[in-house]
């Protein structure tokens, strides 16, 4: 999934945040009674931004400003995280 293909899509998170993992770093997201995922902080941060209102372009822009990292440096990594979240059914695009 590349940025140009998804930049205007508005991802919507699926599931609910439960708690931080025992290691104190990762986050637990519950999709259903038998599907619970542990995700890295950056994946959780991006998942939490998927409100169905913001486009992928806006998410990258917001992360770019907050992290003080060039927009173009974030397009591919954030697209990859969104792809993994979609494969795990944690977002819909």
């Amino acid at each position: 999934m590349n940025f140009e293909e998804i930049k205007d899509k508005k991802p919507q998170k699926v599931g609910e945040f439960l708690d931080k993992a025992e290691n104190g770093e990762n986050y637990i997201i519950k999709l259903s009674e038998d599907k619970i995922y542990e995700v890295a902080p950056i994946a959780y941060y991006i998942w939490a931004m998927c409100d169905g209102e913001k486009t992928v372009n806006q998410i990258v822009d917001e992360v770019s400003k907050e992290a003080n990292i060039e927009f173009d440096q974030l397009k591919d990594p954030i697209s990859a995280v969104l792809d993994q979240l979609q494969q795990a059914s944690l977002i819909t695009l």
Side-chain angles (χ1 to χ4, degrees):
M1 177 182 323
N2 79 42
F3 176 78
E4 291 303 318
E5 293 173 1
I6 63 170
K7 69 180 182 180
D8 296 322
K9 294 190 183 275
K10 296 180 178 179
Q12 174 68 54
K13 66 184 171 205
V14 179
E16 63 177 303
F17 167 68
L18 288 182
D19 205 351
K20 286 192 87 167
E22 287 181 17
N23 67 13
E25 293 176 15
N26 292 343
Y27 293 79
I28 307 293
I29 299 172
K30 177 181 174 182
L31 198 54
S32 64
E33 288 305 317
D34 58 343
K35 284 195 177 177
I36 296 176
Y37 292 94
E38 182 174 326
V39 299
I42 187 63
Y44 173 76
Y45 179 67
I46 292 168
W47 174 83
M49 293 176 81
C50 295
D51 59 7
E53 300 291 322
K54 291 183 188 91
T55 64
V56 172
N57 196 63
Q58 290 169 317
I59 290 170
V60 173
D61 189 49
E62 198 170 312
V63 173
S64 170
K65 287 176 181 161
E66 288 183 23
N68 202 22
I69 298 172
E70 289 292 321
F71 183 91
D72 287 343
Q73 290 181 304
L74 292 172
K75 293 191 305 191
D76 290 341
I78 290 177
S79 296
V81 169
L82 289 168
D83 188 40
Q84 292 174 334
L85 289 171
Q86 185 180 31
Q87 287 181 25
S89 299
L90 290 171
I91 63 166
T92 57
L93 268 176

Coordinates of all heavy atoms in Angstrom, one line a residue:
M1 N 0.9 -1.2 0.0 CA 0.0 0.0 0.0 C 0.9 1.2 0.0 O 1.7 1.4 0.9 CB -0.9 -0.1 1.3 CG -1.7 1.1 1.5 SD -2.7 1.1 3.0 CE -3.2 -0.5 3.3
N2 N 0.8 2.0 -1.0 CA 1.7 3.2 -1.0 C 0.9 4.5 -0.7 O -0.3 4.5 -0.9 CB 2.5 3.3 -2.3 CG 1.8 3.9 -3.5 OD1 1.0 4.8 -3.4 ND2 2.0 3.3 -4.7
F3 N 1.6 5.5 -0.3 CA 1.0 6.7 0.2 C 0.1 7.3 -0.9 O -1.1 7.8 -0.6 CB 2.1 7.7 0.6 CG 1.5 9.0 1.0 CD1 1.0 9.2 2.2 CD2 1.6 10.1 0.1 CE1 0.4 10.4 2.6 CE2 1.1 11.4 0.5 CZ 0.5 11.5 1.8
E4 N 0.5 7.4 -2.1 CA -0.3 8.0 -3.2 C -1.7 7.4 -3.4 O -2.6 8.0 -3.7 CB 0.5 8.1 -4.5 CG 1.7 9.0 -4.5 CD 1.3 10.5 -4.1 OE1 0.3 11.0 -4.6 OE2 2.0 11.1 -3.4
E5 N -1.7 6.0 -3.1 CA -3.0 5.3 -3.3 C -4.0 5.6 -2.2 O -5.2 5.5 -2.4 CB -2.7 3.8 -3.3 CG -1.9 3.3 -4.5 CD -1.5 1.9 -4.4 OE1 -1.9 1.2 -3.4 OE2 -0.9 1.4 -5.3
I6 N -3.4 5.9 -1.0 CA -4.3 6.0 0.2 C -4.4 7.4 0.8 O -5.1 7.6 1.8 CB -3.9 5.0 1.3 CG1 -2.5 5.3 1.8 CG2 -4.0 3.6 0.8 CD1 -2.1 4.6 3.0
K7 N -3.7 8.4 0.2 CA -3.5 9.7 0.9 C -4.9 10.4 1.2 O -5.0 11.1 2.1 CB -2.6 10.6 0.1 CG -3.1 11.0 -1.2 CD -2.1 11.9 -1.9 CE -2.7 12.4 -3.2 NZ -1.8 13.3 -3.9
D8 N -5.9 10.1 0.3 CA -7.2 10.8 0.5 C -8.2 9.9 1.2 O -9.3 10.4 1.5 CB -7.7 11.2 -0.9 CG -6.9 12.3 -1.5 OD1 -6.3 13.2 -0.8 OD2 -6.7 12.2 -2.8
K9 N -7.8 8.7 1.6 CA -8.7 7.9 2.4 C -8.8 8.3 3.8 O -7.9 8.9 4.3 CB -8.3 6.4 2.3 CG -8.4 5.9 0.8 CD -8.2 4.4 0.8 CE -8.2 3.8 -0.6 NZ -9.6 3.5 -1.0
K10 N -9.9 8.0 4.5 CA -10.1 8.4 5.9 C -10.2 7.1 6.7 O -11.3 6.6 6.9 CB -11.4 9.2 6.0 CG -11.3 10.6 5.3 CD -12.5 11.4 5.4 CE -12.4 12.7 4.7 NZ -13.6 13.5 4.8
P11 N -9.1 6.6 7.2 CA -9.1 5.4 8.0 C -9.9 5.5 9.3 O -9.9 6.6 9.9 CB -7.6 5.1 8.3 CG -6.9 6.4 8.1 CD -7.7 7.2 7.1
Q12 N -10.6 4.4 9.6 CA -11.5 4.4 10.8 C -11.0 3.3 11.7 O -10.9 2.1 11.3 CB -12.9 4.2 10.5 CG -13.8 4.0 11.6 CD -14.0 5.2 12.5 OE1 -14.4 6.3 11.9 NE2 -13.8 5.1 13.7
K13 N -10.6 3.6 13.0 CA -10.1 2.6 13.9 C -11.3 1.6 14.2 O -12.4 2.0 14.2 CB -9.5 3.1 15.1 CG -10.4 3.9 16.0 CD -9.6 4.5 17.2 CE -10.6 5.4 17.9 NZ -9.9 6.5 18.6
V14 N -10.9 0.4 14.5 CA -11.8 -0.7 14.9 C -11.3 -1.3 16.2 O -10.1 -1.4 16.3 CB -11.9 -1.8 13.8 CG1 -12.9 -2.9 14.2 CG2 -12.3 -1.2 12.5
G15 N -12.1 -1.6 17.1 CA -11.7 -2.2 18.4 C -11.6 -1.1 19.4 O -12.0 0.0 19.2
E16 N -11.2 -1.5 20.6 CA -11.1 -0.6 21.7 C -9.8 -0.8 22.5 O -9.3 -1.9 22.6 CB -12.3 -0.8 22.7 CG -12.3 -2.2 23.3 CD -13.5 -2.3 24.3 OE1 -13.5 -1.5 25.3 OE2 -14.2 -3.2 24.2
F17 N -9.3 0.3 23.0 CA -8.1 0.3 23.8 C -8.4 -0.3 25.1 O -9.4 0.1 25.8 CB -7.5 1.7 23.9 CG -6.5 1.8 25.0 CD1 -5.2 1.3 24.8 CD2 -6.7 2.5 26.2 CE1 -4.2 1.4 25.8 CE2 -5.7 2.6 27.1 CZ -4.5 2.1 26.9
L18 N -7.6 -1.3 25.5 CA -7.8 -1.9 26.8 C -6.9 -1.4 27.9 O -7.3 -0.9 28.9 CB -7.7 -3.4 26.8 CG -8.8 -4.2 26.0 CD1 -8.5 -5.7 26.1 CD2 -10.1 -3.9 26.7
D19 N -5.6 -1.5 27.6 CA -4.6 -1.2 28.6 C -3.2 -1.2 28.0 O -3.0 -1.6 26.9 CB -4.7 -2.2 29.7 CG -4.2 -1.7 31.1 OD1 -3.6 -0.6 31.1 OD2 -4.3 -2.4 32.1
K20 N -2.2 -0.7 28.8 CA -0.9 -0.9 28.4 C -0.4 -2.3 28.7 O -0.9 -2.9 29.6 CB 0.0 0.1 29.1 CG -0.1 1.5 28.5 CD 0.9 2.5 29.0 CE 2.1 2.4 28.1 NZ 3.0 3.5 28.3
A21 N 0.5 -2.8 27.9 CA 1.0 -4.2 28.1 C 1.8 -4.3 29.3 O 2.3 -3.3 29.9 CB 1.8 -4.7 26.9
E22 N 2.1 -5.5 29.8 CA 2.9 -5.7 31.0 C 4.3 -5.1 30.9 O 4.8 -4.7 31.9 CB 2.9 -7.2 31.3 CG 1.6 -7.8 31.9 CD 1.7 -9.3 32.2 OE1 2.9 -9.8 32.3 OE2 0.7 -9.9 32.4
N23 N 4.8 -5.1 29.7 CA 6.1 -4.5 29.5 C 6.2 -3.0 29.7 O 7.2 -2.4 29.7 CB 6.7 -5.0 28.1 CG 6.0 -4.3 26.9 OD1 5.2 -3.4 27.1 ND2 6.3 -4.8 25.8
G24 N 5.0 -2.4 29.8 CA 4.9 -1.0 30.0 C 5.1 -0.2 28.8 O 5.0 1.1 28.8
E25 N 5.4 -0.8 27.6 CA 5.6 0.0 26.4 C 4.5 -0.2 25.4 O 4.0 0.8 24.9 CB 6.9 -0.5 25.8 CG 8.2 -0.2 26.6 CD 9.4 -0.8 26.0 OE1 9.4 -1.2 24.9 OE2 10.4 -0.8 26.8
N26 N 4.1 -1.4 25.1 CA 3.1 -1.6 24.1 C 1.7 -1.4 24.6 O 1.5 -1.3 25.8 CB 3.2 -3.0 23.5 CG 4.5 -3.2 22.8 OD1 5.2 -2.2 22.4 ND2 5.0 -4.4 22.5
Y27 N 0.7 -1.4 23.7 CA -0.6 -1.1 24.0 C -1.5 -2.3 23.6 O -1.2 -3.0 22.6 CB -1.1 0.1 23.3 CG -0.5 1.4 23.8 CD1 0.8 1.7 23.4 CD2 -1.1 2.2 24.7 CE1 1.4 2.9 23.8 CE2 -0.5 3.4 25.1 CZ 0.8 3.7 24.7 OH 1.4 4.8 25.2
I28 N -2.6 -2.6 24.4 CA -3.5 -3.7 24.1 C -4.7 -3.1 23.4 O -5.4 -2.3 24.0 CB -3.8 -4.5 25.4 CG1 -2.6 -4.9 26.1 CG2 -4.7 -5.7 25.0 CD1 -1.7 -5.9 25.5
I29 N -5.1 -3.7 22.3 CA -6.3 -3.3 21.6 C -7.2 -4.6 21.4 O -6.7 -5.6 20.9 CB -6.0 -2.7 20.2 CG1 -5.2 -1.4 20.4 CG2 -7.4 -2.3 19.5 CD1 -4.7 -0.8 19.1
K30 N -8.4 -4.5 21.9 CA -9.3 -5.6 21.8 C -10.2 -5.4 20.6 O -10.9 -4.4 20.4 CB -10.2 -5.7 23.0 CG -11.2 -6.8 23.0 CD -12.0 -6.7 24.3 CE -13.1 -7.7 24.3 NZ -13.9 -7.7 25.5
L31 N -10.2 -6.4 19.7 CA -11.0 -6.4 18.5 C -12.3 -7.1 18.7 O -13.4 -6.7 18.4 CB -10.3 -7.0 17.3 CG -10.7 -6.7 15.9 CD1 -10.8 -5.2 15.7 CD2 -9.8 -7.3 14.9
S32 N -12.2 -8.3 19.4 CA -13.4 -9.1 19.8 C -13.0 -9.9 21.0 O -11.8 -9.9 21.4 CB -13.8 -9.9 18.6 OG -12.8 -10.9 18.3
E33 N -13.9 -10.8 21.4 CA -13.5 -11.6 22.6 C -12.3 -12.5 22.4 O -11.6 -12.7 23.3 CB -14.7 -12.5 23.0 CG -15.9 -11.7 23.6 CD -15.5 -10.9 24.8 OE1 -14.7 -11.4 25.7 OE2 -15.9 -9.7 24.9
D34 N -12.1 -12.9 21.1 CA -11.0 -13.8 20.9 C -9.9 -13.2 20.1 O -9.0 -13.9 19.7 CB -11.5 -15.1 20.2 CG -12.2 -14.8 18.9 OD1 -12.6 -13.7 18.7 OD2 -12.4 -15.8 18.1
K35 N -10.0 -11.9 19.8 CA -8.9 -11.2 19.1 C -8.5 -10.0 19.8 O -9.1 -9.0 19.9 CB -9.4 -10.8 17.7 CG -9.5 -11.9 16.7 CD -9.6 -11.4 15.3 CE -9.6 -12.6 14.3 NZ -9.8 -12.2 13.0
I36 N -7.3 -10.2 20.4 CA -6.7 -9.1 21.2 C -5.3 -8.9 20.7 O -4.5 -9.9 20.5 CB -6.7 -9.4 22.7 CG1 -8.1 -9.5 23.2 CG2 -5.9 -8.3 23.5 CD1 -8.3 -9.8 24.6
Y37 N -4.9 -7.7 20.4 CA -3.6 -7.4 19.8 C -2.8 -6.5 20.7 O -3.3 -5.6 21.4 CB -3.8 -6.6 18.4 CG -4.4 -7.4 17.4 CD1 -5.7 -7.4 17.1 CD2 -3.6 -8.3 16.6 CE1 -6.3 -8.2 16.1 CE2 -4.1 -9.0 15.6 CZ -5.5 -9.0 15.3 OH -6.1 -9.8 14.3
E38 N -1.5 -6.8 20.7 CA -0.5 -5.9 21.4 C 0.2 -5.2 20.3 O 0.8 -5.8 19.4 CB 0.4 -6.8 22.2 CG 1.4 -6.0 23.0 CD 2.3 -6.8 23.9 OE1 1.8 -7.8 24.5 OE2 3.5 -6.5 24.1
V39 N 0.2 -3.8 20.4 CA 0.8 -3.0 19.3 C 1.9 -2.1 19.9 O 1.8 -1.7 21.1 CB -0.2 -2.2 18.5 CG1 -1.2 -3.1 17.8 CG2 -1.0 -1.2 19.4
A40 N 2.8 -1.7 19.1 CA 3.9 -0.8 19.5 C 3.3 0.6 19.7 O 2.3 0.9 19.1 CB 5.0 -0.8 18.4
P41 N 4.0 1.4 20.4 CA 3.5 2.8 20.7 C 3.2 3.6 19.4 O 2.1 4.2 19.3 CB 4.6 3.4 21.5 CG 5.3 2.3 22.2 CD 5.2 1.1 21.2
I42 N 4.0 3.5 18.4 CA 3.8 4.3 17.2 C 2.5 3.8 16.5 O 1.7 4.5 16.0 CB 5.0 4.3 16.2 CG1 4.7 5.3 15.1 CG2 5.4 2.9 15.7 CD1 4.6 6.7 15.4
A43 N 2.3 2.4 16.5 CA 1.1 1.9 15.8 C -0.1 2.3 16.6 O -1.1 2.6 16.0 CB 1.2 0.4 15.8
Y44 N 0.0 2.3 17.9 CA -1.2 2.7 18.7 C -1.5 4.2 18.5 O -2.6 4.6 18.3 CB -0.9 2.5 20.2 CG -2.0 3.1 21.1 CD1 -3.3 2.5 21.2 CD2 -1.8 4.3 21.7 CE1 -4.3 3.1 21.9 CE2 -2.9 4.9 22.4 CZ -4.1 4.3 22.5 OH -5.1 4.9 23.3
Y45 N -0.5 5.0 18.4 CA -0.6 6.5 18.2 C -1.3 6.7 16.8 O -2.3 7.5 16.8 CB 0.8 7.1 18.2 CG 0.8 8.6 17.9 CD1 0.3 9.5 18.8 CD2 1.4 9.1 16.8 CE1 0.4 10.8 18.6 CE2 1.5 10.4 16.6 CZ 1.0 11.3 17.5 OH 1.0 12.7 17.2
I46 N -0.9 6.0 15.8 CA -1.5 6.2 14.5 C -2.9 5.6 14.5 O -3.9 6.2 14.0 CB -0.7 5.5 13.4 CG1 0.6 6.3 13.3 CG2 -1.4 5.4 12.1 CD1 1.7 5.7 12.4
W47 N -3.1 4.4 15.1 CA -4.5 3.8 15.3 C -5.4 4.8 15.9 O -6.6 5.0 15.5 CB -4.4 2.5 16.0 CG -5.7 1.9 16.4 CD1 -6.4 1.1 15.5 CD2 -6.4 2.0 17.6 NE1 -7.6 0.7 16.2 CE2 -7.6 1.2 17.4 CE3 -6.2 2.6 18.8 CZ2 -8.6 1.1 18.4 CZ3 -7.2 2.5 19.8 CH2 -8.3 1.7 19.6
A48 N -5.0 5.5 17.0 CA -5.8 6.4 17.7 C -6.2 7.6 16.9 O -7.3 8.2 17.1 CB -5.1 6.8 19.0
M49 N -5.4 8.0 15.9 CA -5.7 9.1 15.1 C -6.7 8.8 14.0 O -7.2 9.6 13.3 CB -4.4 9.6 14.4 CG -3.4 10.2 15.4 SD -1.9 10.7 14.6 CE -2.4 12.3 13.9
C50 N -7.0 7.5 13.8 CA -7.9 7.0 12.7 C -9.3 7.2 13.2 O -9.9 6.2 13.6 CB -7.6 5.6 12.3 SG -5.9 5.4 11.6
D51 N -9.8 8.4 13.0 CA -11.2 8.7 13.5 C -12.2 8.7 12.4 O -13.4 9.0 12.7 CB -11.2 10.1 14.2 CG -10.7 11.2 13.3 OD1 -10.5 11.0 12.1 OD2 -10.5 12.3 13.9
G52 N -11.9 8.4 11.2 CA -12.8 8.4 10.1 C -13.0 9.8 9.5 O -13.8 9.9 8.6
E53 N -12.4 10.8 10.1 CA -12.5 12.1 9.7 C -11.3 12.6 9.0 O -11.3 13.3 8.0 CB -12.8 13.1 10.9 CG -14.1 12.7 11.6 CD -15.4 13.0 10.8 OE1 -15.4 14.0 10.1 OE2 -16.3 12.2 10.9
K54 N -10.1 12.3 9.6 CA -8.8 12.7 9.0 C -8.4 11.8 7.9 O -8.6 10.6 7.9 CB -7.7 12.6 10.1 CG -7.8 13.6 11.2 CD -6.6 13.3 12.1 CE -6.7 14.1 13.4 NZ -7.3 13.4 14.5
T55 N -7.9 12.5 6.8 CA -7.3 11.7 5.7 C -5.9 11.2 6.1 O -5.3 11.7 7.1 CB -7.2 12.5 4.4 OG1 -6.2 13.6 4.7 CG2 -8.5 13.1 4.0
V56 N -5.4 10.2 5.4 CA -4.1 9.7 5.6 C -3.1 10.9 5.5 O -2.1 11.1 6.3 CB -3.7 8.6 4.6 CG1 -2.2 8.2 4.8 CG2 -4.6 7.4 4.9
N57 N -3.3 11.8 4.5 CA -2.5 12.9 4.3 C -2.5 13.8 5.6 O -1.4 14.3 6.0 CB -3.0 13.7 3.1 CG -2.0 14.7 2.6 OD1 -0.9 14.3 2.1 ND2 -2.3 16.0 2.7
Q58 N -3.6 14.0 6.2 CA -3.7 14.8 7.4 C -3.0 14.2 8.6 O -2.4 14.8 9.4 CB -5.2 15.1 7.7 CG -5.8 16.1 6.7 CD -7.3 16.2 6.9 OE1 -8.0 15.1 7.1 NE2 -7.9 17.4 6.9
I59 N -3.1 12.9 8.7 CA -2.4 12.1 9.7 C -0.9 12.3 9.6 O -0.2 12.6 10.6 CB -2.9 10.6 9.7 CG1 -4.3 10.5 10.2 CG2 -1.9 9.8 10.6 CD1 -4.9 9.1 10.0
V60 N -0.4 12.1 8.4 CA 1.0 12.2 8.2 C 1.5 13.7 8.5 O 2.5 13.9 9.2 CB 1.4 11.9 6.7 CG1 2.9 12.2 6.5 CG2 1.2 10.4 6.5
D61 N 0.7 14.6 8.1 CA 1.0 16.0 8.3 C 1.0 16.3 9.9 O 1.9 17.0 10.3 CB -0.1 16.9 7.7 CG 0.3 18.4 7.7 OD1 1.5 18.7 7.4 OD2 -0.5 19.2 8.1
E62 N 0.0 15.8 10.6 CA 0.0 16.0 12.0 C 1.2 15.4 12.7 O 1.8 16.0 13.6 CB -1.3 15.4 12.6 CG -1.7 16.0 13.9 CD -3.1 15.6 14.4 OE1 -4.0 15.8 13.5 OE2 -3.2 15.1 15.5
V63 N 1.5 14.1 12.4 CA 2.7 13.5 13.0 C 4.0 14.2 12.6 O 4.8 14.4 13.5 CB 2.8 12.0 12.5 CG1 4.1 11.4 13.0 CG2 1.6 11.2 13.0
S64 N 4.0 14.7 11.4 CA 5.2 15.5 10.9 C 5.4 16.7 11.8 O 6.5 17.0 12.3 CB 5.0 15.9 9.5 OG 6.0 16.8 9.1
K65 N 4.4 17.4 12.1 CA 4.5 18.6 12.9 C 4.8 18.3 14.3 O 5.6 18.9 15.0 CB 3.2 19.4 12.8 CG 3.0 20.1 11.5 CD 1.6 20.8 11.4 CE 1.5 21.5 10.0 NZ 0.1 21.8 9.7
E66 N 4.1 17.3 14.9 CA 4.4 16.9 16.3 C 5.8 16.4 16.5 O 6.4 16.6 17.6 CB 3.3 15.9 16.8 CG 1.9 16.6 17.0 CD 0.9 15.6 17.5 OE1 1.3 14.6 18.2 OE2 -0.3 15.9 17.3
A67 N 6.2 15.6 15.6 CA 7.5 14.9 15.8 C 8.7 15.7 15.2 O 9.8 15.4 15.3 CB 7.5 13.5 15.1
N68 N 8.3 16.8 14.5 CA 9.3 17.6 13.9 C 10.2 16.8 12.9 O 11.4 16.9 12.9 CB 10.2 18.4 14.9 CG 10.9 19.6 14.3 OD1 10.4 20.1 13.3 ND2 11.9 20.0 14.9
I69 N 9.5 16.1 12.1 CA 10.1 15.2 11.0 C 9.5 15.6 9.7 O 8.3 15.9 9.6 CB 9.9 13.7 11.3 CG1 10.6 13.3 12.7 CG2 10.5 12.9 10.2 CD1 10.2 11.9 13.1
E70 N 10.4 15.7 8.7 CA 9.9 16.0 7.3 C 8.7 15.1 6.9 O 8.7 13.9 7.1 CB 11.0 15.9 6.3 CG 12.1 16.9 6.4 CD 11.6 18.3 6.1 OE1 10.8 18.5 5.1 OE2 12.0 19.3 6.8
F71 N 7.7 15.8 6.3 CA 6.5 15.1 5.8 C 6.9 13.9 4.9 O 6.4 12.8 5.1 CB 5.6 16.1 5.0 CG 4.3 15.5 4.5 CD1 3.2 15.6 5.3 CD2 4.3 14.9 3.3 CE1 2.0 15.1 4.8 CE2 3.1 14.4 2.8 CZ 1.9 14.5 3.5
D72 N 7.8 14.1 4.0 CA 8.2 13.1 3.0 C 8.9 11.9 3.6 O 8.8 10.8 3.1 CB 9.1 13.7 1.9 CG 8.3 14.6 0.9 OD1 7.0 14.5 0.9 OD2 8.9 15.3 0.2
Q73 N 9.5 12.1 4.8 CA 10.2 11.0 5.5 C 9.2 10.1 6.2 O 9.5 9.0 6.6 CB 11.2 11.6 6.5 CG 12.4 12.2 5.9 CD 13.3 12.7 7.0 OE1 12.9 13.5 7.9 NE2 14.5 12.2 7.0
L74 N 7.9 10.6 6.4 CA 6.9 9.9 7.2 C 5.9 9.1 6.3 O 5.2 8.3 6.8 CB 6.2 10.8 8.1 CG 7.1 11.3 9.3 CD1 6.3 12.4 10.0 CD2 7.5 10.2 10.2
K75 N 5.8 9.5 5.0 CA 4.8 9.0 4.2 C 4.8 7.4 4.1 O 3.8 6.8 4.3 CB 4.9 9.5 2.7 CG 4.5 11.0 2.7 CD 4.4 11.5 1.2 CE 5.6 11.2 0.4 NZ 5.5 12.0 -0.9
D76 N 6.0 6.9 3.8 CA 6.1 5.4 3.6 C 6.0 4.7 5.0 O 5.3 3.7 5.1 CB 7.5 5.1 3.0 CG 7.5 5.5 1.5 OD1 6.4 5.7 0.9 OD2 8.5 5.6 0.9
P77 N 6.7 5.1 6.1 CA 6.5 4.4 7.3 C 5.1 4.4 7.8 O 4.6 3.4 8.3 CB 7.5 5.1 8.3 CG 8.4 5.9 7.5 CD 7.7 6.2 6.2
I78 N 4.4 5.5 7.7 CA 3.0 5.6 8.2 C 2.1 4.8 7.3 O 1.2 4.1 7.8 CB 2.5 7.0 8.4 CG1 3.3 7.7 9.6 CG2 1.0 7.1 8.6 CD1 3.0 9.1 9.8
S79 N 2.4 4.8 6.0 CA 1.6 3.9 5.1 C 1.8 2.5 5.5 O 0.8 1.7 5.4 CB 2.0 4.2 3.7 OG 1.7 5.5 3.3
A80 N 3.0 2.1 5.8 CA 3.3 0.7 6.2 C 2.6 0.3 7.5 O 2.0 -0.8 7.6 CB 4.8 0.5 6.4
V81 N 2.5 1.2 8.5 CA 1.8 0.9 9.7 C 0.3 0.8 9.5 O -0.3 -0.1 10.0 CB 2.1 2.1 10.8 CG1 1.1 1.9 12.0 CG2 3.5 2.0 11.2
L82 N -0.2 1.7 8.6 CA -1.6 1.6 8.3 C -2.0 0.3 7.6 O -3.0 -0.3 7.8 CB -2.1 2.8 7.4 CG -2.1 4.1 8.1 CD1 -2.2 5.3 7.1 CD2 -3.3 4.2 9.1
D83 N -1.0 -0.2 6.7 CA -1.2 -1.4 6.0 C -1.3 -2.6 7.0 O -2.1 -3.5 7.0 CB -0.1 -1.6 5.0 CG -0.3 -2.8 4.1 OD1 -1.4 -3.1 3.7 OD2 0.7 -3.6 3.9
Q84 N -0.4 -2.6 8.0 CA -0.4 -3.6 9.0 C -1.6 -3.6 9.9 O -2.2 -4.6 10.2 CB 0.9 -3.5 9.9 CG 2.2 -3.8 9.2 CD 3.4 -3.6 10.0 OE1 3.4 -2.8 10.9 NE2 4.5 -4.3 9.7
L85 N -2.1 -2.4 10.2 CA -3.3 -2.2 11.0 C -4.5 -2.7 10.2 O -5.4 -3.4 10.8 CB -3.5 -0.8 11.4 CG -2.5 -0.2 12.5 CD1 -2.7 1.3 12.6 CD2 -2.7 -0.9 13.8
Q86 N -4.5 -2.5 8.9 CA -5.6 -2.9 8.1 C -5.6 -4.5 8.0 O -6.6 -5.1 8.1 CB -5.6 -2.3 6.7 CG -6.8 -2.7 5.9 CD -6.8 -2.1 4.5 OE1 -5.7 -1.8 3.9 NE2 -7.9 -1.8 4.0
Q87 N -4.4 -5.0 7.8 CA -4.3 -6.5 7.7 C -4.8 -7.2 9.0 O -5.3 -8.3 9.0 CB -2.9 -6.9 7.4 CG -2.5 -6.6 6.0 CD -1.1 -7.0 5.7 OE1 -0.5 -7.9 6.3 NE2 -0.5 -6.4 4.7
A88 N -4.6 -6.5 10.2 CA -5.0 -7.1 11.5 C -6.5 -6.7 11.7 O -7.0 -7.0 12.8 CB -4.1 -6.5 12.6
S89 N -7.2 -6.0 10.8 CA -8.6 -5.6 10.9 C -8.7 -4.6 12.0 O -9.8 -4.5 12.6 CB -9.5 -6.8 11.1 OG -9.4 -7.7 10.0
L90 N -7.7 -3.8 12.4 CA -7.8 -2.8 13.4 C -8.2 -1.4 12.8 O -8.5 -0.5 13.6 CB -6.5 -2.7 14.2 CG -6.1 -3.9 15.1 CD1 -4.7 -3.8 15.6 CD2 -7.1 -4.0 16.2
I91 N -8.2 -1.3 11.5 CA -8.7 -0.1 10.9 C -9.4 -0.5 9.6 O -9.2 -1.6 9.0 CB -7.6 1.0 10.5 CG1 -6.6 0.4 9.5 CG2 -7.0 1.5 11.7 CD1 -5.8 1.5 8.8
T92 N -10.3 0.3 9.1 CA -10.9 0.2 7.8 C -10.5 1.4 7.0 O -10.4 2.5 7.5 CB -12.4 0.1 7.9 OG1 -13.0 1.3 8.5 CG2 -12.9 -1.2 8.6
L93 N -10.2 1.1 5.7 CA -9.8 2.2 4.8 C -10.8 2.4 3.8 O -11.4 1.6 3.3 CB -8.4 1.9 4.2 CG -7.2 2.3 4.9 CD1 -5.9 1.8 4.1 CD2 -7.1 3.8 5.0

